[in-house]
Amino acid sequence: MKLSHFQFDLPKELLAEYPAENRDESRLMVIDRKKQTIEHKMFKDVIDYFDDGDVLILNNTKVFPARLYGNKEKTGARIEVFLLRELNSEQRLWDVLVDPARKIRIGNKLYFGDDDSLVAEVIDNTTSRGRTLRFLYDGSYEEFRNKLTELGETPIPKYISRDVTPEDAERYQTIYAKEEGAVAAPTAGLHFSKHLLKKLEIKGIKFAEVTLHVGLGTFNPVEVEDLSKHKMDSEELKITQEACDIVNDAKVKKKRICAVGTTSMRAVESSVSSQSTLNPFDGWTNKFVFPPHDFSIATCMITNFHTPKSTLLMMVSAFCGHDLMKRAYAEAIKEGYKFYSYGDAMLII
């Protein structure tokens, strides 16, 4: 498979600027790989496809307010700083992206907040837009993190052209988010309401939680025609023994195992034993799933509608089958499904 196989024209009006009014009332396209059929449902209908003992794999990462705006010393130029990952908590070192990057050089200082209560010094260049910052703050580590939360805003995707609203802080977060560390939401999970999760639980569906802290690498454009030459950025991953036991027990009993989102799928595909069972994991993964790929754990997946040429679309193609995926996407465009983070969902069984 080549990069050009994943190009398609997406009308701009299908990019979701806002979430559905109720989480579980997004639209749901159901794709049956065996029957090669496509059905149109509401997301809350997802419960009809699962039975007692089936498992949903949920990514419980929590998005933190990663986008800050500061001013450059002397010139006062407004600079956007996007926090990517903490490198050293004692020295308060962070990997960040800056915009506009051409103005930001090693040694520059940036000031944040109306009272300049937070200062950062640029200590390294990592990529054309990447920098390493050392934050200077009088206070404990906990106070420093609270200050970042206070000054930061919800990192909704750049394609959303409106300003961030207070609602985004809640809606750009799954209701089961626990472990802070993501700079983008695992968006397939945004469709689950408390009510729907409760109904699934009452029906006997089990939940296996994994933690994959979504970084911007997930969304980096693929720039090589030969997909095998694309390198994914590493993202932090934790899979507990408890999650493995839930999944492996369901495998033995031949129950349906559903990865909720490409991040959950990448998480479990990163830690498969030679017997095709799930292993515990605590570290970093740069797993890139593209066709052809033999999936070892999940038998179905829930996902949103993705951008042309994205690694997310490539994973969906590998799982769904490329021709069926293309047919489904053509149908989604024809039927006016909403795409991307706040868009509609797809269940592939």
Side-chain angles (χ1 to χ4, degrees), residues 47 50-56 200-201 203-207:
I47 193 166
F50 297 98
D51 288 312
D52 184 26
D54 289 343
V55 171
L56 294 181
L200 285 160
E201 195 182 324
K203 198 173 177 182
I205 285 95
K206 296 186 167 68
F207 306 113

Side-chain angles (χ1 to χ4, degrees), residues 63-259:
V63 180
F64 67 94
R67 192 173 274 131
L68 302 170
Y69 291 96
N71 297 99
K72 191 179 165 192
E73 64 178 335
K74 295 182 183 145
T75 67
R78 188 172 192 250
I79 306 294
E80 179 190 307
V81 172
F82 196 99
L83 302 172
L84 288 180
R85 60 175 72 97
E86 187 174 49
L87 300 174
N88 184 310
S89 56
E90 271 177 45
Q91 295 183 38
R92 298 179 188 172
L93 296 181
W94 282 75
D95 254 348
V96 305
L97 296 176
V98 292
D99 192 20
R102 61 186 175 357
K103 297 181 174 180
I104 304 302
R105 298 188 173 89
I106 293 172
N108 286 162
K109 283 201 171 77
L110 301 171
Y111 293 84
F112 302 90
D114 295 335
D115 55 356
D116 295 343
S117 54
L118 183 64
V119 182
E121 184 180 4
V122 182
I123 61 167
D124 199 9
N125 292 337
T126 50
T127 61
S128 59
R129 287 181 57 215
R131 302 290 183 271
T132 303
L133 297 188
R134 177 185 285 118
F135 283 97
L136 313 169
Y137 182 73
D138 292 331
S140 66
Y141 178 71
E142 192 179 345
E143 289 167 330
F144 164 65
R145 288 302 299 243
N146 289 341
K147 179 57 80 172
L148 285 184
T149 301
E150 176 199 320
L151 293 173
E153 69 176 33
T154 304
I156 62 171
K158 279 281 198 188
Y159 78 83
I160 294 178
S161 52
R162 62 176 173 80
D163 288 339
V164 174
T165 66
E167 183 196 33
D168 289 313
E170 183 214 341
R171 291 301 303 273
Y172 195 63
Q173 197 82 270
T174 64
I175 57 165
Y176 47 79
K178 288 191 190 82
E179 306 292 334
E180 191 171 84
V183 301
T187 55
L190 298 180
H191 302 286
F192 287 91
S193 63
K194 283 186 175 144
H195 181 62
L196 179 57
L197 278 183
K198 195 73 202 161
K199 280 173 74 177
L200 285 160
E201 195 182 324
I202 290 165
K203 198 173 177 182
I205 285 95
K206 296 186 167 68
F207 306 113
E209 294 189 14
V210 298
T211 307
L212 183 104
H213 290 318
V214 191
L216 284 185
T218 296
F219 308 99
N220 276 353
V222 179
E223 291 170 337
V224 285
E225 184 65 7
D226 178 355
L227 301 184
S228 64
K229 295 199 164 42
H230 177 69
K231 296 281 184 288
M232 290 285 280
D233 276 5
S234 291
E235 293 170 323
E236 202 172 351
L237 169 63
K238 185 164 192 179
I239 302 173
T240 62
Q241 184 64 55
E242 182 189 2
C244 295
D245 292 344
I246 293 168
V247 168
N248 293 334
D249 182 53
K251 275 201 81 152
V252 170
K253 293 174 177 164
K254 302 219 166 357
K255 296 292 184 182
R256 185 165 267 180
I257 300 169
C258 182

Side-chain angles (χ1 to χ4, degrees), residues 31-38 256 299 319-321 324 327 348-349:
I31 299 174
D32 188 317
R33 293 177 291 172
K34 208 169 175 184
K35 296 180 188 162
Q36 296 278 299
T37 55
I38 296 171
R256 185 165 267 180
T299 59
F319 191 76
C320 182
L324 184 55
R327 214 176 94 214
I348 307 167
I349 57 176

